[in-house]
Amino acid sequence: MHYHIYFRISRGGIGIPYELAKTEFQAVFNDFGMVITSESWARRHMHVDLDLEPVDVKTRAADLGYTEAILHLHSEPYRDEALSPIERGRWHVGWVRRRERKVYQTEVYVQDSGALLKYAPDKRGFQIEQGGEKRLAFGHHAHRAMSVLDVRFLFNIVMPSPVDVVLDPFAGYGGIVFEGRRRGLSVMASDIDHTLTPGLSALTPGSCYVADARLLPLAENSIDLIVTEPPFRTVHRPAVLKSIRELRRVLKPSGQMVFVVSSDMREEICASFAKLNLKIDIVGVIPRGGGLKCPVLKIRPID
């Protein structure tokens, strides 16, 4: 089956690197005989062959972050007939001419921008506690919740099993927790900041902890997947580095971790994981405002 993939160009006014979007798509579809037949970095799209029917492609695409649309392609010889494709912004549906062929393009998947906006940190309310009172805050303005698209990328590069237990030990305003719960996963949230308890408890009732990541109230080998973005500020760095041994303790022997870090802390983080006999892969770099580059680390035990 032939498909045309259109990647999103930006989110929140910040560009999405082509390779980042491509990495996510490959992680979701590589097990289905995916072959890239052509690609355009500049225009953020590519053509692929997949051993999947359109209905199955649509199902698997539903949780993608950086993919805007997927079109199914059916081609026939072009015989000089008039073609009237319908414009859909960056693409067309219906018959279009491609050299000596005509191609019928059908939308298999188009990202729901309205749903993404509803889930965005600056739209999704989050309760915090201040001075003994609860009030509604917004993660985007407090810089403590990730973009919906970025969080989807983190989950898609590991493709967790429905029975996996997931932990975010630096939960903040719960962007990662929210996405895990949306996918129907069992998610535990932990943060040292007690003011976040109302919001995190609402996201994951009974699985929220006020705890230092260096000393978690969790059993050894109890977590399948850790997905997190630790604080970037220099003052927090010693605590983040010391937490790595504790995260290794609660992770199952076959478990995985996904860390989003700032570029200036990458070497220290990787060195700390390597000392615990863990393999580290940099699967992408997420750009942020102000020119900040955030490597995404995929960590797992060495075979």
Side-chain angles (χ1 to χ4, degrees):
M1 292 279 182
H2 308 299
Y3 297 94
H4 195 169
I5 317 303
Y6 286 85
F7 296 129
R8 288 182 63 99
I9 295 173
S10 68
R11 81 275 191 260
I14 300 171
I16 299 172
Y18 174 81
E19 287 299 328
L20 196 67
K22 178 180 172 181
T23 295
E24 180 189 34
F25 191 89
Q26 288 175 311
V28 174
F29 287 100
N30 256 350
D31 290 342
F32 301 95
M34 177 176 160
V35 176
I36 299 174
T37 57
S38 68
E39 52 189 324
S40 172
W41 179 90
R43 296 187 177 184
R44 304 291 200 276
H45 65 81
M46 66 181 184
H47 288 85
V48 304
D49 290 340
L50 289 170
D51 297 333
L52 280 176
E53 294 292 329
V55 64
D56 298 315
V57 170
K58 180 178 181 178
T59 298
R60 295 194 66 82
D63 291 330
L64 286 169
Y66 301 143
T67 299
E68 185 176 8
I70 302 174
L71 277 63
H72 175 250
L73 310 180
H74 166 74
S75 68
E76 297 179 4
Y78 177 63
R79 306 188 188 283
D80 295 325
E81 65 266 50
L83 305 177
S84 302
I86 301 171
E87 184 177 354
R88 292 276 202 257
R90 294 176 61 199
W91 58 87
H92 292 78
V93 296
W95 288 108
V96 298
R97 183 179 177 183
R98 296 284 186 268
R99 297 185 177 89
E100 301 307 314
R101 306 284 293 179
K102 64 177 182 178
V103 181
Y104 195 81
Q105 303 191 150
T106 307
E107 290 176 337
V108 171
Y109 163 79
V110 178
Q111 196 170 63
D112 187 342
S113 298
L116 290 173
L117 183 63
K118 181 177 69 174
Y119 297 147
D122 59 337
K123 302 296 183 183
R124 176 174 54 84
F126 185 92
Q127 275 198 332
I128 63 173
E129 185 176 341
Q130 284 187 340
E133 296 182 355
K134 296 178 182 179
R135 71 175 183 85
L136 204 59
F138 296 91
H140 176 76
H141 299 298
H143 304 287
R144 299 194 64 175
M146 294 181 67
S147 155
V148 174
L149 305 186
D150 294 343
V151 175
R152 289 190 177 189
F153 172 79
L154 302 185
F155 278 95
N156 286 333
I157 60 173
V158 289
M159 296 297 290
S161 161
V163 298
D164 282 350
V165 177
V166 183
L167 168 68
D168 182 357
F170 302 99
Y173 274 63
I176 291 171
V177 177
F178 179 85
E179 176 63 16
R181 294 285 290 180
R182 189 189 69 82
R183 292 174 181 239
L185 299 172
S186 175
V187 185
M188 295 183 177
S190 177
D191 201 286
I192 198 170
D193 186 350
H194 69 89
T195 67
L196 303 173
T197 302
L200 292 176
S201 295
L203 286 175
T204 179
S207 299
C208 168
Y209 306 94
V210 177
D212 189 323
R214 294 168 291 186
L215 188 63
L216 294 168
L218 300 172
E220 185 175 343
N221 301 332
S222 60
I223 302 298
D224 297 285
L225 175 63
I226 295 173
V227 183
T228 195
E229 181 187 39
F232 294 169
R233 293 179 61 191
T234 304
V235 67
H236 298 307
R237 196 154 304 173
V240 172
L241 292 171
K242 288 181 180 179
S243 74
I244 288 175
R245 185 171 294 276
E246 176 70 350
L247 299 181
R248 180 69 181 93
R249 181 188 70 82
V250 302
L251 189 70
K252 291 181 179 179
S254 59
Q256 298 185 81
M257 301 188 215
V258 179
F259 259 59
V260 182
V261 300
S262 62
S263 56
D264 65 333
M265 65 191 294
R266 177 182 61 83
E267 288 189 12
E268 288 181 294
I269 290 283
C270 288
S272 296
F273 280 121
K275 289 177 182 178
L276 298 176
N277 201 35
L278 294 168
K279 181 181 180 181
I280 307 102
D281 293 316
I282 301 174
V283 295
V285 178
I286 297 175
R288 295 278 181 81
L292 182 64
K293 304 293 185 182
C294 299
V296 180
L297 312 178
K298 184 177 179 181
I299 304 121
R300 58 190 184 279
I302 296 175
D303 296 331

